[in-house]
Amino acid sequence: MRDGGGAMLHRSGRTSWRRFAVVLVPSLTAAAALGIGMAQGALAASFLISGQRFQLAADTLSGRGVSIYPMVDVTRKGTLVPVVVLGFRHAQINRLCLSVVIPIPVLGPYTLVVTGGTGRPVEAANLFIDATSVAAAQANTNNIDIGVAAGAVTKGPINPQDRKSRWFNPDVFAQQATSVVLENVRVISVATSAGTLNVPNFRMRVEQGNNPCF
């Protein structure tokens, strides 16, 4: 099916992560290309990031209303960071782990670890994960469109701050799906935001040493 001159590939049912990961590569490439344009005077789309990468792990991440599109985040120092944004209108996360290793002068590295979603899943609305790396043992999708223009995404959300940015390219390669279930998820991210986030059995701790989620 063609819409507005762009090719749109429809796939439904179960999709292996190996195949799903392959189609992320054009998104990363497009993000890098967009970064070239941003180097000519772009500002951050939503907020200035620290630039430090953190890990996000989960046994399962189930999302309804899914979008995947490239973007470029900007650090406070002006460094450009190409990312792929994973957007979910609604998400459930089982056994969430989030960690960031913080080097402290004299004391050495310490790790901030946040966990939750044991017994009952974490619930999130309008969740956006700005990722530099995504992996999962399995990805099962429903009604996935690969190659849709970012400005034509309707099944999943686009971060409003991204959409308002003059650097958001509505014609760039994107993906969308009615729903997705990711198993054994491992994400490297530079920023994550959500409209609402409810975390059962929330726990935050600081551990001495380098002790990330994975």
Side-chain angles (χ1 to χ4, degrees), residues 6 9 22 32 39 53 55-56 72 74 79 99 104 108 116 135-136 139 155 160 162 186 197 201:
L9 177 62
V22 167
R53 287 161 172 77
Q55 294 185 350
L56 187 156
V72 174
V74 184
T79 302
S99 66
I104 300 178
K155 294 178 180 177
D162 290 345
R186 301 289 184 265
L197 185 67
N201 301 311

Side-chain angles (χ1 to χ4, degrees), residues 115-138:
T115 58
T118 56
R120 291 183 294 127
V122 174
E123 301 274 352
N126 292 319
L127 173 66
F128 297 97
I129 302 173
D130 293 17
T132 60
S133 174
V134 181
Q138 179 72 29

Side-chain angles (χ1 to χ4, degrees), residues 182-195:
L182 305 177
E183 301 175 3
N184 193 21
V185 184
R186 301 289 184 265
V187 177
I188 304 296
S189 178
V190 295
T192 298
S193 61

Side-chain angles (χ1 to χ4, degrees), residues 43-49 71-73 130 159-162 165 191 193:
L43 298 176
S46 53
F47 55 85
L48 296 175
I49 64 172
M71 197 62 202
V72 174
D73 289 348
D130 293 17
N159 189 316
Q161 297 302 317
D162 290 345
S165 169
S193 61

Side-chain angles (χ1 to χ4, degrees), residues 127-160:
L127 173 66
F128 297 97
I129 302 173
D130 293 17
T132 60
S133 174
V134 181
Q138 179 72 29
N140 300 323
T141 63
N142 287 303
N143 300 318
I144 184 171
D145 302 326
I146 300 172
V148 61
V153 167
T154 56
K155 294 178 180 177
I158 300 293
N159 189 316

